[in-house]
Amino acid sequence: MNIMIDRLEATLKRYNDITQELSDPSIISDIKKMTELSKEQTRLEEIVNVYKRYKDVLKGIEEDKELVHDSELGEIAKEELTSYEKEKSDIEARLKILLLPHDPNDEKNVVVEIKGAAGGDEANIFAGDLFDMYQKYANSQGWKIDVTNSIEGAAGGFTNIEFMVKGEGVYSKLKYESGAHRVQRVPATESQGRVHTSTATVLVMPEAEEFDFELDMNDVRIDITRSSGCGGQGVNTTDSAVRLTHIPTGIIVYSQVERSQIKNKELAFKILKTRLYDLKLREKEEAEGKERRSKIGTGDRSEKIRTYNYPQNRLTDHRIGFTSMNLDRIMDGDLGVVIEALINEDQKRKLEGNEE
């Protein structure tokens, strides 16, 4: 407990130091530094507020302990003491979670890519279903989705769709979605009523912000092409589509959703930086080793993370053994029940790791 108090006092001091720094004129003129400090202050604010309440509770406990034997106030003090003791226990559990190592990307927007994989047309249709699920979930969270590129499947859905999700704490919730999603159902084209298994892959990447990644423009080849029909009538009448090739890694980014070549180029560079930033994060995780092993899933596109069984209306997340018999509701945007289970398990594993 003393170790936790020491960390809380250090956090409180850091919060107060940041507040002081943000009033310094030299910091105000430094946009990068001010942005970093403001984000850190926002992240620490909840810990500080909970800790302040914790100190109030401890003070209340000490005062009530002195009054329990008082002839007039003793009974009231006993009731208050019971209430304070419970609150103390609840706050300590909450503080342990708040003090867990923070993922600096949790507050970021994300770039998501969904691809139809094994299963032909049915895989592409399922990729479209997953996109619809994420759209509905995003709406429930007050987030905004912008499609950056898409290739429609011949029978519906998408062979590939890329989109940005913008809002508060997007990565903290969607980071668990990367991997292979498997669907079991009877396709509309199946005359014998047989259940088929198909897969779609999801990749979630934290958006690279201005200060996260320095891109050497000499490493990028820019090609301007005519859009291939995505985006509505008339979109393919001008050379507005942009393809970027990052020569050292071979990463290719294509943007054609905007009618403006300038906007497509801006969007393509944002996605390229995000892909390179994600690559850098994965390399860092591989080097650290332990953190990667304690994660829920590897985050790799090939890892089978979830099964969507339509005949039984069942969803199973294989990484944590979570099962829901409300697949229909989840596909309608009630994804929060799955994500909450993943977050809770993630916190549990980290707490156990801290205690080792």
Side-chain angles (χ1 to χ4, degrees), residues 62-81:
E62 290 305 311
E63 290 174 350
D64 281 338
K65 280 181 177 178
E66 293 178 4
L67 292 171
V68 290
H69 299 298
D70 188 279
S71 58
E72 294 182 5
L73 301 173
E75 288 304 315
I76 296 173
K78 283 178 184 177
E79 289 181 13
E80 277 192 354
L81 191 56

Side-chain angles (χ1 to χ4, degrees), residues 116-125 198:
D121 287 342
E122 176 62 13
N124 295 338
I125 292 169
S198 307

Side-chain angles (χ1 to χ4, degrees), residues 1-2 23 39 67 112 127 148 187 189 223 226 229 233 269 272 351:
M1 187 54 66
N2 289 337
S23 63
K39 284 185 176 181
L67 292 171
V112 182
T148 56
T189 55
D223 297 304
R226 187 154 292 188
Q233 186 177 1
F269 269 108
L272 177 59
L351 283 169

